[in-house]
Amino acid sequence: MAKRVLTTESGAPVADNQNSATAGVGGPLLLQDQHLLEKLARFNRERIPERVVHARGSGAYGHFEVTDDVTAYTKAAFLSEVGKKTELFLRFSTVADSLGGADAVRDPRGFAVKFYTEEGNYDLVGNNTPVFFIKDPIKFPDFIHSQKRDPFTGKQEADNVWDFWAHAPEATHQVTWLFGDRGIPASYRHMNGYGSHTYQWTNEAGEAFFVKYHFKTNQGIRSLSAEQGAELVGKDANSHQTDLLQSIERGVAPSWTLYVQVMPAAEAVEYRFNPFDLTKVWPHSDYPLQRVGRLVLDRNPDNVFAEVEQAAFSPNNFVPGIGPSPDKMLQGRLFAYADAHRYRLGVNHTQLAVNAPKAAVADNYGRDGFMATRNGARHDKNYEPNSYSGPAQTDTPLSAPLAVHGWTGTHAAPEHTKDDDFFQAGELFRLMSEDEKARLVSNLAGSLSQVAREDIVEKNLAHFAAADPEYGRRVAEAVRALRED
């Protein structure tokens, strides 16, 4: 086998990769040592700005196979027939911590899927919880700031975390999820994934439906207690990455079954609560789960930086038959995600291998910018319309139009007859076993008791009491006991 030759980035062979060029033996380094300067300059730049949220992540390739006919609801080609398979990449992540954070911590998990469909890439960006803390994107930067490191102390502060939640009663449902048993998954393989937002499906007849995605783990739900999580972090801070990597390398391919809840668009207006409110779930008794297919992960990335760190997901990457809903948080993310990637990775990040379409061809008038690799031939035009046979519009919308009416302005979300910030949090509490309730109360009290200001504590206790009197009383008693110690 021929010996491979080490070269510079311009392809020139490297004569010596062990010694820098100097002015004589033991003398100062020479500016002319192109190989040394290139290596040092590349090393200085081999990290890119980490994600503000979802920085700590793991990913894998796999496929999605349709198992049930859903063509009555969507014309999406990758869902068009039973047995059809589509290649995909899935990235798991924690939300609040940095790239160097630990895996087994109490935090929501990102669950982002990129389907490489024949009609272009479809990105489904979700979490391992069906709800979220807030319902309006204008509050998102403030929410994340409250959960991140304090600018002065340089660490997460309980006062900031709970002060924000004290002023965001709609967070009570997600806080109950987060501090319950599923707040620390045992691994990425042993948790569910959710689209969380409400999306629109449109069928060939143009009929519109609103849907919610549920990826149910086929490995079974497994979670860690606070004590187990702390112990695991001490043993292996990369525990979830280790588990995912090793399971796939052993040939144990993790899988999830995708279900959807389907609401005819006409029913959304009169539904008893706002179906586009990200802090609420749709009861399964109203809209049962309907099976769609099976997602399987069977190949690890060859390079974590190139394929996990540079993976860019954006919920505005739709395909024909799938579109947005009036969910305000989703509407904000349609802009924010793509903009974050343009900042981190550059305007041409969609040309990177992990982000580029695989079963379709990207053909548009985007040119130039940093790291452009697809600039067209000499006679290709960079404007449209043109008379030079460039790509043209189809005149066929991807999804059905959304009706709008009323005056422009900064409006609160429309309220339906049964809208409430606390009812579903109370339902979740009442569904728990006694042991689950005890652990939830202990987890909440352990965090809330660290807050210095009593008024912040009392505001949050009032939220739990509004969800369920027993819930509020038990958390109050537990916090009091810890603060008196």
Side-chain angles (χ1 to χ4, degrees):
M1 183 176 179
K3 185 177 180 180
R4 295 171 60 189
V5 175
L6 176 65
T7 74
T8 64
E9 291 185 27
S10 63
V14 173
D16 191 340
N17 195 44
Q18 315 305 317
N19 303 288
S20 302
T22 61
V25 177
L29 299 181
L30 296 177
L31 187 62
Q32 70 184 40
D33 190 342
Q34 183 256 356
H35 179 51
L36 168 67
L37 300 186
E38 183 178 84
K39 284 185 71 175
L40 294 180
R42 167 165 282 281
F43 179 75
N44 286 343
R45 292 163 175 81
E46 68 184 23
R47 296 292 181 268
I48 59 177
E50 72 176 37
R51 290 168 167 86
V52 178
V53 290
H54 298 279
R56 172 67 185 155
S58 302
Y61 292 95
H63 67 268
F64 179 78
E65 181 176 3
V66 178
T67 58
D68 295 77
D69 184 5
V70 292
T71 55
Y73 308 118
T74 179
K75 62 181 180 181
F78 80 104
L79 300 175
S80 61
E81 58 182 295
V82 172
K84 188 163 190 175
K85 289 186 178 181
T86 299
E87 185 181 354
L88 60 85
F89 183 79
L90 196 158
R91 186 178 187 270
F92 305 98
S93 57
T94 54
V95 174
D97 214 340
S98 63
L99 182 59
D103 286 341
V105 294
R106 189 173 301 281
D107 198 17
R109 300 301 192 276
F111 193 99
V113 188
K114 185 181 295 292
F115 298 91
Y116 300 106
T117 91
E118 65 265 50
E119 297 177 300
N121 291 351
Y122 172 45
D123 290 354
L124 181 57
V125 184
N127 286 324
N128 72 327
T129 60
V131 293
F132 196 61
F133 298 93
I134 53 176
K135 61 180 86 172
D136 193 304
I138 203 167
K139 300 174 74 170
F140 187 75
D142 300 294
F143 164 61
I144 294 300
H145 287 163
S146 74
Q147 311 297 301
K148 288 282 197 174
R149 297 177 186 271
D150 182 87
F152 171 63
T153 67
K155 60 190 184 73
Q156 189 182 56
E157 295 290 346
D159 281 14
N160 299 353
V161 170
W162 287 100
D163 185 35
F164 182 88
W165 286 340
H167 293 87
E170 71 268 28
T172 308
H173 192 186
Q174 174 75 327
V175 168
T176 304
W177 270 89
L178 178 62
F179 284 86
D181 280 358
R182 297 192 185 186
I184 311 178
S187 78
Y188 289 132
R189 295 183 299 125
H190 293 93
M191 68 181 196
N192 291 340
Y194 300 89
S196 301
H197 295 289
T198 300
Y199 293 90
Q200 185 204 75
W201 277 7
T202 310
N203 64 17
E204 285 285 2
E207 297 171 306
F209 304 85
F210 292 118
V211 300
K212 283 186 175 289
Y213 295 91
H214 300 250
F215 292 88
K216 299 288 189 178
T217 174
N218 294 320
Q219 291 69 238
I221 294 288
R222 283 182 52 203
S223 303
L224 303 174
S225 67
E227 295 75 20
Q228 290 171 325
E231 181 180 355
L232 185 55
V233 166
K235 291 179 178 178
D236 181 7
N238 305 302
S239 57
H240 290 29
Q241 165 69 9
T242 301
D243 176 86
L244 182 66
L245 175 74
Q246 293 182 351
S247 67
I248 295 176
E249 289 297 294
R250 292 196 311 268
V252 181
S255 67
W256 288 258
T257 299
L258 172 61
Y259 299 86
V260 292
Q261 291 176 282
V262 181
M263 174 188 292
E267 296 181 14
V269 177
E270 300 299 330
Y271 193 52
R272 64 181 185 277
F273 60 81
N274 182 358
F276 311 116
D277 181 347
L278 185 55
T279 68
K280 294 181 174 64
V281 298
W282 298 354
H284 292 183
S285 56
D286 291 347
Y287 298 100
L289 295 180
Q290 301 188 46
R291 193 175 65 175
V292 180
R294 182 180 176 89
L295 184 157
V296 179
L297 298 181
D298 54 16
R299 180 166 68 88
N300 283 311
D302 293 323
N303 184 289
V304 171
F305 175 79
E307 299 164 90
V308 179
E309 279 308 295
Q310 292 195 133
F313 301 83
S314 178
N316 65 6
N317 288 340
F318 292 116
V319 292
I322 303 178
S325 78
D327 179 340
K328 293 179 76 173
M329 281 296 295
L330 172 60
Q331 292 284 325
R333 284 172 168 158
L334 296 180
F335 162 76
Y337 275 63
D339 189 58
H341 303 317
R342 294 185 191 104
Y343 161 68
R344 291 184 64 245
L345 301 169
V347 71
N348 290 305
H349 67 273
T350 56
Q351 297 175 26
L352 296 170
V354 69
N355 300 321
K358 297 183 184 299
V361 175
D363 193 4
N364 55 56
Y365 295 92
R367 298 287 189 273
D368 307 333
F370 286 115
M371 305 302 289
T373 62
R374 192 180 68 238
N375 283 320
R378 64 172 63 182
H379 298 301
D380 289 341
K381 302 304 178 184
N382 63 348
Y383 60 88
E384 198 278 336
N386 64 62
S387 55
Y388 290 85
S389 302
Q393 66 195 42
T394 66
D395 294 321
T396 304
L398 300 187
S399 56
L402 297 172
V404 296
H405 63 276
W407 299 95
T408 61
T410 54
H411 305 292
E415 290 196 1
H416 292 223
T417 55
K418 296 276 182 77
D419 271 336
D420 179 280
D421 287 330
F422 307 109
F423 179 73
Q424 290 199 352
E427 284 192 319
L428 180 58
F429 176 79
R430 290 184 288 274
L431 281 173
M432 295 179 180
S433 68
E434 179 52 39
D435 287 346
E436 290 173 324
K437 289 178 180 178
R439 288 189 291 269
L440 169 66
V441 169
S442 176
N443 294 334
L444 284 168
S447 180
L448 192 52
S449 63
Q450 300 175 43
V451 175
R453 284 175 45 185
E454 199 64 36
D455 61 318
I456 294 176
V457 175
E458 292 301 321
K459 284 181 180 178
N460 281 284
L461 291 176
H463 294 169
F464 301 130
D468 185 279
E470 178 193 352
Y471 188 10
R473 175 183 57 78
R474 291 178 64 168
V475 176
E477 290 173 351
V479 169
R480 191 178 308 114
L482 287 173
R483 290 170 80 87
E484 289 174 352
D485 281 349

